[in-house]
Amino acid sequence: MIRYLLISAFFSLFISCKSYQIKDAVSVDNSLQFVQNQYFSDVSLDYVYKTHIEIYGNKMGGIFIAKRINDTIHRMVLTTDFGNKLLDFEVSENSFKVNFVIDNLDKKIILNTLRDDFRTLLQVNSKVFKTYKRNKEVIYQTENNAYYYFDEVSSNLTKIIKTNKRKEKVIFTFNPKKTTFAENINIQHNNIKLKIDFNQINN
Amino acid sequence: MNAQEQKMSAQEIVKFKETIENQSKNIKTIKTDFVQIKHMDFLTKDIETSGKMYFKSPNLLNWQYTKPYQYSIIFKNNKVYINDQGNKSTVDAKSKIFEKINKLIVGSVSGNMFDDKEFDISYFKTKEHYITKLIPKTASIKKMIKQIDLYFPLKDATVSEVKLIESSGDYTKIIFKNKVINTKIDDSVFTN
């Protein structure tokens, strides 16, 4: 039994040591110092989306509002359809401030997960570590192991994949209208049962 | 207090409450359109949604957004039926919180919210409206809502506008339009 455990432990160690690789992608020289996600970048705009959140089978809906406050900080609010606030955050690459959270969501694990997701979703500039190419895609790996997928023809950002160096952890998928605006966005977690959908509201 | 707002006298308050309470006793149905305006100081523009509300005494309620998206929430037989852009779900509504929401919505439209246990209430009037300002007493509600203002047109004993003010000062304003009292509403309206 012990031998079996040792073998399987060794085996899983061996498997999980394999670092994350993008299939069929080739490494190329870095052409950019910073990769840009422009979908929440315009300080003059209010970004308003209808949102659906599914967490461990529980569904909830509401409205997601985000605004770039200055060069580094975004403010984001989640309300119910009736307009009452569930969450109100200010987030940047290095800072995080909770202006308001309802008691049901006021748990460290929930706040940290949402903080990380919204930080990735909203952050405009990220430092490029490596660049890859695959078919008609350019992929920028950032220093914190997120991968930004761009369509080479349209220059639209289509996907951000966050990894823990070995595995895909969170996948952000964008359905772009143009390089600066995404009509629909989906956030899918692989290690926890959490899915968030955003659909643009024509306000 | 707004410059043009005046406190109502004790006599006026008694008369006003009597009118509202009498009127709301006679309410069998309410059918109205509404516009909901969400104001947050940090936004450039308010967020506007709109829809329809149907109420049938004593406890059928359909609150339905039609613009800019479809969303309806129906309270019926101690259950809450939600249809969120085609995604349907049902929640048991025996919980106190849904009872309170139901009471709050119906109370907001009829105006019968003179519950001294739940709120500190003050009364004002302007040239166009009577205004009641309700400050919640329960800490859990207080955290979400600092104050509820109900506007009653002088010649109409039901609410034309509700303002829910958060502790931050941000607010949600709901304006009722084309309101019809005691018209026949088919039960099928309360089906998801």
Side-chain angles (χ1 to χ4, degrees):
Chain A
M1 186 63 188
I2 289 173
R3 191 163 56 173
Y4 169 75
L5 281 175
L6 278 174
I7 290 169
S8 61
F10 178 76
F11 190 64
S12 61
L13 195 70
F14 175 74
I15 294 283
S16 60
C17 272
K18 191 168 177 279
S19 66
Y20 177 72
Q21 279 181 338
I22 312 158
K23 207 172 169 246
D24 300 328
V26 287
S27 180
V28 295
D29 287 344
N30 287 342
S31 54
L32 290 177
Q33 200 186 351
F34 289 96
V35 60
Q36 276 205 323
N37 167 8
Q38 296 188 69
Y39 296 141
F40 296 93
S41 63
D42 189 337
V43 286
S44 69
L45 289 181
D46 303 333
Y47 296 93
V48 184
Y49 288 85
K50 173 84 176 115
T51 174
H52 295 105
I53 300 175
E54 199 177 326
I55 180 153
Y56 288 98
N58 297 309
K59 290 178 187 172
M60 56 189 257
I63 298 173
F64 171 80
I65 305 115
K67 190 168 179 75
R68 192 177 185 188
I69 301 293
N70 57 36
D71 274 357
T72 52
I73 297 173
H74 279 86
R75 176 133 175 214
M76 59 128 297
V77 173
L78 191 66
T79 76
T80 65
D81 294 276
F82 293 100
N84 47 306
K85 276 183 200 163
L86 302 169
L87 287 173
D88 183 345
F89 289 171
E90 280 172 47
V91 62
S92 78
E93 191 174 0
N94 311 308
S95 70
F96 179 62
K97 188 177 147 206
V98 179
N99 293 322
F100 178 81
V101 60
I102 59 157
D103 292 342
N104 289 350
L105 296 176
D106 196 3
K107 297 181 178 68
K108 212 171 175 188
I109 184 161
I110 296 178
L111 292 181
N112 287 350
T113 305
L114 294 174
R115 174 200 63 198
D116 293 348
D117 279 3
F118 290 120
R119 182 173 277 158
T120 305
L121 180 70
L122 301 171
Q123 191 175 320
V124 182
N125 295 301
S126 303
K127 197 149 193 266
V128 175
F129 176 57
K130 276 185 181 169
T131 310
Y132 306 88
K133 272 200 178 180
R134 180 177 76 174
N135 296 332
K136 293 201 164 66
E137 284 177 313
V138 187
I139 304 147
Y140 300 97
Q141 181 185 352
T142 64
E143 286 181 325
N144 52 6
N145 293 300
Y147 293 79
Y148 287 66
Y149 287 68
F150 283 82
D151 180 286
E152 212 174 12
V153 181
S154 63
S155 305
N156 289 332
L157 172 65
T158 55
K159 241 180 346 187
I160 301 173
I161 298 180
K162 275 171 79 177
T163 72
N164 62 359
K165 289 190 187 166
R166 298 183 186 95
K167 278 184 183 169
E168 295 184 356
K169 264 175 71 188
V170 193
I171 302 166
F172 298 73
T173 312
F174 302 95
N175 179 15
K177 218 176 188 173
K178 49 185 179 180
T179 52
T180 53
F181 195 82
E183 219 164 359
N184 320 97
I185 301 166
N186 169 272
I187 303 177
Q188 174 84 52
H189 281 253
N190 281 351
N191 52 350
I192 51 170
K193 286 185 178 162
L194 171 62
K195 196 177 97 173
I196 311 175
D197 283 307
F198 303 87
N199 298 298
Q200 183 208 355
I201 294 176
N202 286 309
N203 191 33
Chain B
M1 196 169 75
N2 207 304
Q4 51 162 341
E5 282 177 16
Q6 285 184 332
K7 278 205 161 192
M8 279 162 72
S9 70
Q11 229 179 348
E12 283 175 314
I13 293 171
V14 171
K15 208 183 145 203
F16 170 73
K17 280 173 75 169
E18 206 179 83
T19 314
I20 303 299
E21 277 165 0
N22 279 337
Q23 158 94 9
S24 68
K25 253 182 243 161
N26 293 325
I27 290 177
K28 300 280 178 286
T29 70
I30 304 169
K31 181 182 159 191
T32 181
D33 297 337
F34 69 85
V35 177
Q36 177 180 310
I37 293 159
K38 179 73 191 171
H39 172 85
M40 287 186 269
D41 276 342
F42 79 99
L43 295 182
T44 314
K45 233 167 78 175
D46 292 343
I47 299 164
E48 198 177 300
T49 47
S50 61
K52 289 174 188 300
M53 196 280 283
Y54 303 90
F55 168 72
K56 197 167 185 173
S57 182
N59 54 16
L60 291 175
L61 177 73
N62 179 356
W63 186 271
Q64 183 177 25
Y65 295 89
T66 52
K67 269 184 196 166
Y69 57 85
Q70 302 278 340
Y71 176 97
S72 72
I73 179 161
I74 295 171
F75 294 78
K76 186 166 87 176
N77 305 330
N78 292 324
K79 280 204 160 56
V80 181
Y81 299 87
I82 297 166
N83 186 341
D84 190 351
Q85 296 179 301
N87 287 319
K88 292 183 184 181
S89 56
T90 311
V91 185
D92 241 331
K94 279 177 193 148
S95 74
K96 280 266 180 289
I97 187 84
F98 279 114
E99 219 173 273
K100 277 192 179 173
I101 291 173
N102 200 344
K103 224 172 136 184
L104 189 74
I105 294 176
V106 175
S108 298
V109 183
S110 68
N112 194 356
M113 294 247 283
F114 308 113
D115 188 344
D116 292 325
K117 272 184 233 133
E118 294 276 349
F119 305 105
D120 279 318
I121 309 172
S122 51
Y123 301 84
F124 301 87
K125 63 177 180 182
T126 66
K127 277 180 190 153
E128 292 93 30
H129 295 100
Y130 293 116
I131 305 164
T132 59
K133 300 187 177 183
L134 304 101
I135 296 173
K137 285 182 174 173
T138 323
S140 58
I141 296 180
K142 231 179 173 148
K143 202 188 162 194
M144 292 188 282
I145 302 165
K146 183 170 76 174
Q147 188 178 312
I148 304 170
D149 292 353
L150 300 177
Y151 289 74
F152 303 76
L154 295 185
K155 285 178 187 154
D156 182 359
T158 61
V159 176
S160 63
E161 195 178 312
V162 185
K163 195 170 172 186
L164 299 129
I165 307 163
E166 298 163 17
S167 50
S168 63
D170 291 345
Y171 62 83
T172 307
K173 192 157 79 177
I174 297 169
I175 301 157
F176 297 108
K177 287 175 179 172
N178 310 321
K179 185 165 51 195
V180 189
I181 306 282
N182 293 342
T183 185
K184 193 179 171 349
I185 299 176
D186 202 273
D187 276 352
S188 65
V189 168
F190 305 98
T191 322
N192 211 332

